[in-house]
Amino acid sequence: MLRDWTLFEKVWLALFTVVNIYLFFAFEDSLLGLISSLSGMLCVVLVAKGKISNYYFGIVQTATYAYISYGYSLYGEAMLNGLFYLPVQFIGLYMWSKNRTQRSMRGEDVAVKRLSKKGWMVLILIAVVGSLLYAELLHYIGGQAVRLDSAAVVLSIIAQILMLKRYAEQWALWIAVNVLSISLWVVTLITQGGNDLNMVVMWSAFLVNSIYGYVNWIRLSKGQEALTQ
C-alpha cells in the first residue's frame, strides 16, 4: 500500500495518527471522532496522491462526521456530509475508474485537468451567491455559526464537484474550506463545550494536506502534459 509513497507522506500520516490517538486518551475524546478523523486523513492523503482508493475511506469519514456534526447542531455540516458527500463517494468511485490515466507520473490513478480563467469567474460568482442564500436557510432552521457554516458548505460542494472532474484547482477551495472549518469547530467547542478536539486536529491536518495536494496536482498536471508532447 505504501510502495509509491514519499517520505513526507509517510511521516505526515504517522504523526497525525499519533496525535489523534494521544488526544483520544488524554482528553477522552469520542471514539467516533477518532474514527472519523483517521479515516478522513487517509482519504485526503490518497486524494492528494490521485488514488481511487480514497473513496473507500471517504465513505466512513462522511457518515461518521455527519453524525457528529448533527449532535452539535451544525446542520449545514451534517447535511453536506450525510446528503451530499456520502452518496458522492460512490459517484467518485465510478467517475475516477472511468478516467484512469495511462501517463502516471507518481503512481496516480487518474488524469489531472486545469481550470480556465472563465471557469474561475463563474466559480467565484456561484460561491458568493450560494453562501449568502444558504446562510439564510441555516439561520431559519436554527443553526449555529451560520455564516461560517454556510461558506464552508458551499465551497465544499464546489470543491467536491471539481474533485469529481479531476481539476487541480479543487485544492485552492479545499484550503479555504479547511480554514473555515477550523474556525467553525473552535467557535463551536468554545461556546458549546464538548470533547471532540479530534475535529480541530482533523481539519488542521486537512489544511496542511490541501496545500500539499495543490502542489502535487500541479506537478502531476505538468508531468502528464509533458508526456503527451
Side-chain angles (χ1 to χ4, degrees), residues 6 17 22 33-35 48 67-68 74 86 90 104 109 113 130 154 164 177 182 185-187 191 202 205 215 222 228:
T6 65
T17 301
Y22 168 76
L34 177 64
I35 294 172
Y67 182 83
I68 294 170
L74 297 176
L86 182 56
F90 299 96
S104 178
D109 294 330
K113 299 192 295 185
V154 171
L164 291 176
V177 168
I182 291 169
W185 276 102
V186 168
V187 170
T191 57
M202 180 184 75
V215 173
K222 291 179 179 178
T228 63

Side-chain angles (χ1 to χ4, degrees), residues 4-222:
D4 58 351
W5 287 51
T6 65
L7 179 60
F8 169 80
E9 292 164 347
K10 293 176 182 177
V11 171
W12 174 239
L13 187 60
L15 177 62
F16 175 80
T17 301
V18 169
V19 170
N20 268 279
I21 293 175
Y22 168 76
L23 287 174
F24 174 71
F25 288 105
F27 295 95
E28 298 183 351
D29 282 4
S30 68
L31 177 60
L32 200 61
L34 177 64
I35 294 172
S36 182
S37 185
L38 292 178
S39 60
M41 186 59 195
L42 282 167
C43 174
V44 297
V45 168
L46 290 169
V47 175
K49 292 180 63 60
K51 294 289 191 179
I52 294 175
S53 55
N54 81 84
Y55 289 106
Y56 298 115
F57 294 99
I59 292 170
V60 176
Q61 196 274 331
T62 52
T64 53
Y65 185 74
Y67 182 83
I68 294 170
S69 297
Y70 183 81
Y72 284 98
S73 298
L74 297 176
Y75 300 134
E77 292 287 284
M79 288 189 289
L80 171 67
N81 283 267
L83 303 179
F84 179 72
Y85 276 166
L86 182 56
V88 160
Q89 302 308 305
F90 299 96
I91 298 173
L93 272 171
Y94 173 79
M95 293 184 65
W96 278 34
S97 296
K98 288 290 185 179
N99 292 278
R100 288 182 176 271
T101 183
Q102 302 299 319
R103 306 182 300 276
S104 178
M105 292 294 298
R106 300 188 176 190
E108 73 276 12
D109 294 330
V110 293
V112 176
K113 299 192 295 185
R114 300 295 303 276
L115 199 64
S116 66
K117 291 182 179 180
K118 180 180 179 181
W120 266 114
M121 293 176 63
V122 173
L123 184 152
I124 292 171
L125 178 62
I126 293 174
V128 172
V129 174
S131 296
L132 292 174
L133 293 176
Y134 195 48
E136 292 300 316
L137 173 62
L138 294 178
H139 177 73
Y140 178 76
I141 63 176
Q144 300 294 317
V146 294
R147 287 190 174 87
L148 283 175
D149 200 1
S150 175
V153 167
V154 171
L155 289 177
S156 294
I157 291 174
I158 298 172
Q160 184 67 58
I161 293 173
L162 291 180
M163 176 181 163
L164 291 176
K165 302 292 289 182
R166 309 178 319 283
Y167 281 103
E169 286 76 13
Q170 62 165 301
W171 294 106
L173 297 190
W174 287 129
I175 291 171
V177 168
N178 294 331
V179 171
L180 289 170
S181 296
I182 291 169
S183 302
L184 177 65
W185 276 102
V186 168
V187 170
T188 299
L189 292 175
I190 290 175
T191 57
Q192 297 188 41
N195 60 344
D196 282 298
L197 291 175
N198 275 315
M199 294 297 97
V200 176
V201 175
M202 180 184 75
W203 285 110
S204 298
F206 283 4
L207 175 59
V208 175
N209 185 77
S210 295
I211 297 171
Y212 170 73
Y214 203 173
V215 173
N216 194 46
W217 273 52
I218 294 298
R219 289 175 179 170
L220 293 178
S221 174
K222 291 179 179 178

